[in-house]
């Protein structure tokens, strides 16, 4: 069957695929061209253009009285735009909101929404409206033959297909829209900057994009938030027509408080407060004490954040809020629009300005040609009137006596039909001799204007100068300073959990049975706490509530937990195995806490050890991380804190009464492993537990040490200790008789 066939009854038939494809393509092109995308000439979508035109037809200029918005919507729907009144009114509201449009086209009276709730506007039967002065840049040349006109939807009226924009409104107010298979996101720009870029391109048609961006560096949103996108990225956006921008709120310090004065474009202050309050309720912002909204008519945006104290570092706090709330937002840029060729296309800045200037050239040329035609027509009529006044008596005689005076006048004086009609239409009161002087004066004025118009139309340079002069005049009249400051900032970073938790002194207590708890303060005596029957104190670590506490078990594995999540010491705590899962048979031996950069010595009683920082013990795995590889039957010795690995000395004592002294710097720094041999112990004797490393001590240089055996003590001065100095991994020297079974060390 062919694509177009008719059955016996004369009904057209076509394949479903062909019909569906054609219908969908027609619908797609309609949505793209007639609904969603703006035209490069006037920067308006059809509904916006029809609203502005309908208001001008109603006489709602900037100096007219306000009229009900329902009147305008009714005219738009009834004459030009047969669609829903709600959608039409919402498009009208958007053009009236100063926080949505950089240069509003409609001056609204009544409730037109707020920055916090743009959709909270009153119904159209309550609000009133008229056009703004800026709207005249779109309408002032409309009746001067500047644009093409087409029939409205029912063919009873004519409507402009574009408005004769005197400025590139496509960039000034931008546009957003979603069509079929494409979208547009054009940000608003500053009028003075856009005008300067246009003039630059007029004077230098081959100006590079970099030069244009010196005049037009970035978009300019209705709100005064900071644009923090680097200039190099902005240049790429304007080159390709695609990219993303980042806007960040502005804040000030007032007597210790943080006052947010400007929010990013289309950001709700109420939503920002809710986002911050949610973090405060979750105890993720302990450095904030209070939150207030002091916005009013004089200060549309004034959000006050009260820090807990003057010691709070504001910069990282605000960086966290920028990263986790709408105080900083990303905006998509997609410079997609309908060009002069009637096709949608994503264009770069240079293409947009160049194509708009082409549109402006054509508009001005049509305006001048239209005016030239009017001047020539008027001169033609004045020429006929002057002939009549010079032969006034004869003209009066012909009119009084002839049945067909028009033809007689044309034949007698060589007049055209239009000249003859003009003479016949002239009132008697204008036949005074004084009128001749007026005609000659008007002829002289119009002749000068005709010559000026012809010279301008015949010279490209004069046309450029005229367009430049008009752009400068409009920029001077409607322009204003930039609102969105262009500031390069470092990327916002959310604070980690440790910095978001209050920093309070805490003591973490571990019992022999593996029960854990945390007490406030460092003065607490862990041994004095109450323990379950058969249980007692094992280990404690003094640290801060915003830090992590580390645990070591008998298998050599390390674990960590945030301190602020541990149960209070008011009770007896909870089993550590409820949060962590050590290997079968392993028991928790000790707790470690403090600064993450703190050094520790990890060692086994088989005589091996290495240096490690506390942060390398941290992990998120419930089953911990393998840290110290223990030789057969070896056990973990209590970790020792190290203050200065490069200068301190290590004392190692075995149960055989041997002591070895060597620099701590000879031990390796590892993140896990067995470590290096500290004091020589034969492997078979270590495995059988016959010979073990029993004590370790870390000494600063030139520091004595006291050994204890039972009640007896032996103090070794730095000079005597030198007798035991040796290379790492040696057997060490024997201690004096009677002190070969050391039971304690005192520094």
């Amino acid at each position: 069957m062919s694509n177009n066939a008719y059955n016996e009854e004369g009904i057209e038939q076509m394949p479903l695929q062909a019909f569906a494809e054609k219908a969908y393509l027609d619908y797609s092109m309609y949505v793209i061209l007639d609904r969603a995308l703006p035209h490069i000439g006037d920067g308006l979508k059809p509904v916006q253009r029809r609203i502005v035109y309908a208001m001008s037809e109603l006489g709602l200029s900037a100096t007219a009285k306000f009229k009900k918005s329902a009147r305008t919507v009714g005219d738009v729907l009834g004459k030009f735009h047969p669609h829903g009144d709600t959608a039409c009114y919402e498009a009208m509201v958007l053009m009236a909101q100063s926080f949505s449009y950089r240069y509003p086209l409609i001056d609204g009276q009544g409730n037109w929404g707020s920055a916090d709730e743009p959709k909270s506007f009153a119904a159209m039967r309550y609000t009133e409206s008229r056009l703004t002065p800026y709207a005249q840049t779109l309408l002032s040349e409309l009746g001067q033959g500047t644009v093409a006109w087409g029939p409205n939807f029912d063919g009873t009226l004519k409507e402009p297909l574009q408005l004769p924009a005197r400025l590139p409104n496509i960039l000034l107010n931008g546009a957003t829209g979603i069509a079929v298979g494409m979208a547009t996101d054009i940000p608003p720009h500053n009028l003075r900057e856009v005008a300067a870029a246009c003039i630059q391109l007029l004077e230098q048609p081959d100006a590079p994009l970099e030069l244009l961006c010196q005049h037009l560096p970035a978009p300019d949103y209705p709100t005064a938030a900071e644009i923090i996108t680097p200039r190099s990225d902005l240049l790429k956006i304007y080159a390709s027509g695609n990219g993303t921008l980042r806007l960040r709120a502005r804040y000030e310090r007032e007597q210790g408080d943080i006052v947010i004065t400007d929010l990013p474009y289309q950001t709700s202050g109420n939503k920002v407060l809710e986002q911050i309050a949610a973090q405060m309720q979750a105890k993720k912002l302990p450095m904030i004490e209070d939150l207030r909204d002091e916005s009013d008519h004089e200060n549309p945006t004034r959000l006050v954040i009260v820090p807990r104290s003057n010691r709070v570092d504001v910069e990282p706090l605000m960086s966290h809020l920028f990263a986790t709330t709408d105080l900083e937002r990303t905006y998509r840029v997609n410079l997609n629009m309908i060009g002069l060729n009637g096709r949608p296309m994503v264009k770069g800045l240079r293409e947009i300005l160049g194509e708009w200037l082409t549109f402006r050239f054509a508009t001005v040329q049509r305006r001048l040609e239209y005016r030239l035609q009017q001047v020539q027509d008027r001169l033609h009529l004045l020429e006929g009137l002057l002939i009549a006044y010079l032969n006034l008596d004869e003209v009066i005689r012909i009119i009084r006596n002839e049945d067909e005076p028009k033809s007689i006048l044309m034949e007698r004086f060589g007049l055209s039909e239009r000249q003859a009609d003009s003479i016949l239409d002239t009132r008697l009161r204008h036949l005074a001799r004084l009128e001749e002087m007026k005609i000659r004066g008007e002829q002289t004025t119009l002749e000068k204007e005709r010559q000026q118009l012809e010279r301008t139309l015949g010279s490209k340079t004069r046309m450029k100068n005229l367009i430049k002069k008009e752009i400068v005049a409009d920029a001077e009249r409607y322009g204003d300073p930039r609102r969105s400051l262009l500031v390069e900032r470092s990327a916002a970073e959310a604070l980690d959990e440790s910095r978001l938790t209050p920093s309070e002194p805490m003591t973490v207590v571990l019992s022999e049975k593996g029960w854990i708890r945390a007490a406030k303060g460092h003065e607490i005596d862990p041994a004095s706490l109450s323990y379950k029957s058969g249980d007692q104190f094992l280990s404690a670590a003094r640290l801060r509530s915003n830090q992590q506490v580390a645990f070591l078990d008998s298998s050599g594995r390390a674990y960590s937990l945030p301190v602020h999540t541990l149960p209070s010491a008011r009770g007896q705590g909870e089993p550590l195995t409820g949060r962590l899962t050590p290997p079968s048979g392993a028991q928790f031996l000790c707790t470690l806490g403090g600064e993450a950069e703190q050094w520790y010595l990890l060692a086994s009683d088989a005589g091996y050890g290495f240096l490690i920082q506390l942060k390398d013990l941290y992990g998120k795995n419930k089953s911990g991380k393998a840290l110290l590889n223990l030789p057969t039957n070896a056990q973990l010795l209590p970790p020792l804190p190290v203050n200065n690995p490069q200068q301190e000395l290590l004392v190692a004592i075995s149960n055989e009464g041997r002591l070895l002294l060597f620099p701590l710097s000879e031990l390796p720094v590892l993140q896990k492993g067995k470590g290096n041999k500290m004091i020589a112990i034969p492997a078979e004797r270590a495995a059988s537990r016959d010979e073990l490393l029993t004590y370790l001590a870390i000494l600063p240089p030139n520091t004595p040490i006291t050994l204890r055996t039972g009640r007896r003590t032996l103090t070794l001065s730095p000079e005597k200790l030198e007798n035991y100095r040796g290379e790492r991994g040696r057997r060490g020297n024997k201690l004096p008789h009677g002190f070969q079974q050391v039971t304690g060390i005192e520094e």
Side-chain angles (χ1 to χ4, degrees):
M1 182 184 293
S2 63
N3 280 356
N4 291 295
Y6 294 87
N7 61 11
E8 295 177 354
E9 299 175 357
I11 298 175
E12 183 182 3
Q13 293 181 330
M14 61 189 304
L16 179 60
Q17 178 182 355
F19 173 79
E21 182 177 346
K22 182 179 183 302
Y24 188 70
L25 284 175
D26 289 346
Y27 162 75
S28 301
M29 292 308 296
Y30 167 72
V31 172
I32 292 170
L33 299 178
D34 290 337
R35 293 294 292 275
L37 298 189
H39 191 276
I40 192 170
D42 55 14
L44 300 176
K45 302 176 187 179
V47 64
Q48 297 169 329
R49 186 179 301 117
R50 287 162 177 165
I51 290 171
V52 172
Y53 175 63
M55 292 184 73
S56 71
E57 288 294 287
L58 284 170
L60 295 176
S61 65
T63 56
K65 289 184 178 180
F66 289 92
K67 285 187 180 179
K68 287 289 185 183
S69 301
R71 175 90 176 269
T72 297
V73 172
D75 260 35
V76 173
L77 300 188
K79 294 180 179 179
F80 310 112
H81 197 72
H83 298 281
D85 59 340
T86 302
C88 179
Y89 182 50
E90 286 189 4
M92 186 176 174
V93 168
L94 193 68
M95 292 190 289
Q97 292 177 336
S98 59
F99 49 85
S100 296
Y101 254 46
R102 183 64 177 83
Y103 299 97
L105 297 173
I106 294 175
D107 182 10
Q109 187 169 264
N111 178 13
W112 290 81
S114 65
D116 279 336
E117 296 181 38
K119 300 261 186 194
S120 63
F121 50 85
M124 59 184 167
R125 62 182 177 274
Y126 299 118
T127 61
E128 297 177 337
S129 57
R130 64 184 179 188
L131 293 171
T132 61
Y134 170 78
Q136 286 305 304
T137 63
L138 301 172
L139 295 165
S140 61
E141 300 175 359
L142 188 58
Q144 301 177 26
T146 49
V147 293
W149 294 70
N152 69 338
F153 63 91
D154 60 2
T156 58
L157 295 169
K158 294 285 187 180
E159 62 174 321
L161 302 183
Q162 283 92 41
L163 296 181
R166 295 166 59 93
L167 293 168
N169 187 61
I170 187 76
L171 289 175
L172 299 182
N173 278 318
T176 59
I178 300 175
V180 179
M182 62 178 65
T184 183
D185 288 285
I186 305 172
H189 292 77
N190 184 270
L191 196 158
R192 291 177 180 171
E193 294 176 353
V194 172
C198 286
I199 292 170
Q200 179 68 58
L201 199 59
L202 269 174
E203 295 176 343
Q204 186 180 347
D206 58 347
L209 178 64
E210 292 77 5
L211 182 57
L212 296 179
C213 285
Q214 290 180 10
H215 300 285
L216 184 61
D220 186 24
Y221 290 88
T223 57
E226 295 177 345
I227 297 176
I228 62 171
T229 304
R231 289 181 183 269
S232 57
D233 292 351
L234 291 170
L235 196 62
K236 293 177 182 176
I237 291 173
Y238 284 134
S240 65
N242 274 304
T244 56
L245 292 170
R246 294 193 73 82
L247 264 67
R248 179 178 290 184
R250 296 174 64 192
Y251 67 93
E252 301 171 352
R253 299 297 305 276
E254 286 187 11
Q255 300 177 350
D257 294 343
I258 303 168
V259 181
I260 298 169
T261 57
D262 296 287
L263 293 171
Y265 179 55
Q266 293 182 333
T267 296
S268 166
N270 290 337
K271 184 178 179 182
V272 169
L273 292 177
E274 289 173 3
Q275 292 171 333
I276 299 175
Q279 294 191 49
M280 292 174 66
Q281 290 175 357
K283 297 183 178 180
K284 291 183 177 181
L285 288 175
M287 61 284 289
I288 294 180
E289 182 178 348
D290 193 17
L291 196 63
R292 298 193 304 272
D293 185 359
E294 297 182 356
S295 305
D296 54 26
H297 183 70
E298 293 184 2
N299 301 290
T301 301
R302 183 177 170 84
L303 309 180
V304 182
I305 300 172
V306 182
R308 191 168 293 275
S309 72
N310 291 332
R311 296 188 302 273
V312 172
D313 194 346
V314 172
E315 291 296 329
L317 169 60
M318 291 306 298
S319 180
H320 171 79
L321 294 178
F322 290 142
T324 58
T325 70
D326 283 350
L327 288 176
E328 180 176 316
R329 290 181 61 184
T330 300
Y331 296 84
R332 185 168 177 265
V333 177
N334 181 21
L335 306 181
N336 190 10
M337 63 197 70
I338 299 172
L340 296 181
N341 60 1
R343 297 179 180 179
M345 184 177 176
V346 177
K347 304 176 186 291
L349 176 64
R350 199 174 181 284
E351 293 175 273
I352 294 172
L353 293 177
E355 198 163 332
W356 182 82
L357 286 173
T358 301
F359 168 81
R360 185 62 188 155
F361 261 98
T363 303
V364 172
Q365 184 172 355
R366 293 176 73 169
R367 185 189 81 200
L368 296 181
E369 289 174 347
Y370 180 81
R371 177 57 185 165
L372 179 60
Q373 184 62 46
Q374 285 184 317
V375 169
Q376 290 173 337
D377 288 348
R378 181 60 179 166
L379 284 171
H380 180 64
L381 295 179
L382 289 176
E383 184 182 349
L385 288 174
L386 188 58
I387 292 173
Y389 285 118
L390 292 176
N391 302 277
L392 187 58
D393 294 338
E394 179 69 12
V395 169
I396 292 174
R397 187 192 66 77
I398 292 173
I399 294 173
R400 290 182 63 186
N401 299 326
E402 299 294 337
D403 294 334
E404 296 290 337
K406 179 178 177 181
S407 59
I408 301 298
L409 286 172
M410 292 173 62
E411 181 181 350
R412 173 70 177 81
F413 299 108
L415 301 175
S416 69
E417 185 175 350
R418 293 183 63 229
Q419 287 175 323
D421 285 336
S422 178
I423 292 171
L424 293 172
D425 291 340
T426 302
R427 295 182 180 183
L428 288 174
R429 61 187 293 182
H430 292 153
L431 297 180
R433 281 286 172 188
L434 192 60
E435 287 296 322
E436 179 184 346
M437 301 304 296
K438 290 183 179 179
I439 292 172
R440 292 189 182 278
E442 187 178 355
Q443 274 185 320
T444 302
T445 303
L446 289 177
E447 184 62 32
K448 289 181 180 179
E449 184 179 356
R450 182 185 65 78
Q451 293 175 4
Q452 181 68 26
L453 288 170
E454 289 177 344
R455 282 198 298 267
T456 303
L457 285 168
S459 170
K460 192 172 183 181
T461 301
R462 288 177 179 270
M463 286 283 287
K464 280 186 179 181
N465 291 336
L466 175 61
I467 292 172
K468 175 182 174 181
K469 181 180 178 181
E470 292 176 349
I471 290 176
V472 169
D474 287 338
E476 189 67 28
R477 181 176 180 183
Y478 303 108
D480 57 0
R482 166 174 278 276
R483 296 181 190 173
S484 300
L485 299 181
L486 187 58
V487 185
E488 290 196 19
R489 305 277 191 190
S490 57
E493 293 183 6
L495 296 174
D496 57 40
E497 193 173 1
S498 64
R499 297 189 65 181
L500 292 173
T501 306
S503 179
E504 300 173 347
M506 302 288 286
T507 301
V508 177
V509 181
L510 177 66
S511 73
E512 286 187 349
K513 298 293 185 181
W515 284 62
I516 193 72
R517 49 187 152 168
K520 289 186 177 181
H522 287 169
E523 299 77 18
I524 186 172
D525 179 11
S528 65
L529 297 175
S530 64
Y531 294 86
K532 287 183 175 293
S533 177
D535 198 4
Q536 60 183 352
F537 169 69
L538 174 63
S539 175
R542 290 178 171 82
L543 64 174
R544 312 290 296 185
S545 58
N546 61 345
Q547 295 176 334
Q548 293 195 66
V549 60
F551 306 95
L552 290 175
D553 68 9
S554 57
S555 69
R557 298 184 72 81
Y559 312 80
S560 66
L561 290 172
V563 173
H564 71 274
T565 66
L566 299 179
S568 171
R570 294 175 183 173
Q572 294 178 330
E574 63 182 46
L576 196 50
T577 51
R579 301 192 181 200
L580 305 174
T581 54
S584 178
Q587 295 182 342
F588 294 105
L589 298 180
C590 65
T591 59
L592 300 174
E595 298 299 325
E597 290 74 23
Q598 172 67 50
W599 289 95
Y600 279 91
L601 170 64
L602 292 185
S604 66
D605 59 9
Y608 293 87
F610 60 89
L611 296 174
I612 192 172
Q613 284 187 304
L614 182 60
K615 63 183 178 183
D616 293 322
L617 276 66
Y618 297 156
K620 296 182 179 180
N621 199 332
K622 291 179 63 176
S623 59
K625 55 194 284 190
L627 196 70
L628 182 64
N629 295 338
L630 296 172
T632 305
N633 296 330
Q635 295 182 3
L636 177 73
L637 291 176
L640 295 178
V642 177
N643 295 323
N644 194 330
Q646 299 302 318
Q647 295 183 4
E648 291 178 314
L649 303 173
L650 178 62
V651 174
I653 303 175
S654 70
N655 62 350
E656 292 287 328
R658 293 182 176 274
L659 187 150
L660 179 64
L661 176 73
F662 64 89
L664 194 60
S665 59
E666 294 184 9
L667 283 178
V669 175
L670 302 175
Q671 292 188 355
K672 64 178 181 178
K674 179 180 178 181
N676 287 8
K677 185 181 291 186
M678 297 182 295
I679 188 170
I681 297 176
E684 62 279 1
R685 289 180 60 80
S688 64
R689 314 286 294 170
D690 291 333
E691 185 175 347
L692 304 171
L693 174 62
T694 52
Y695 287 99
L696 289 171
I698 296 175
L699 300 178
N702 302 315
T703 303
I705 188 172
T706 299
L707 307 180
R708 187 173 64 253
T709 300
R711 295 183 178 180
R712 300 175 60 192
T713 60
L714 172 66
T715 299
L716 299 176
S717 66
E719 293 77 14
K720 291 182 179 180
L721 273 174
E722 286 298 317
N723 298 327
Y724 298 92
R725 182 184 286 269
E727 296 180 0
R728 177 189 59 78
R730 299 294 184 179
R731 289 283 285 163
N733 292 334
K734 280 276 190 177
L735 288 166
H737 184 70
F739 286 92
Q740 295 180 358
Q741 295 295 324
V742 177
T743 59
I745 299 178
E746 299 175 5
E747 298 180 18

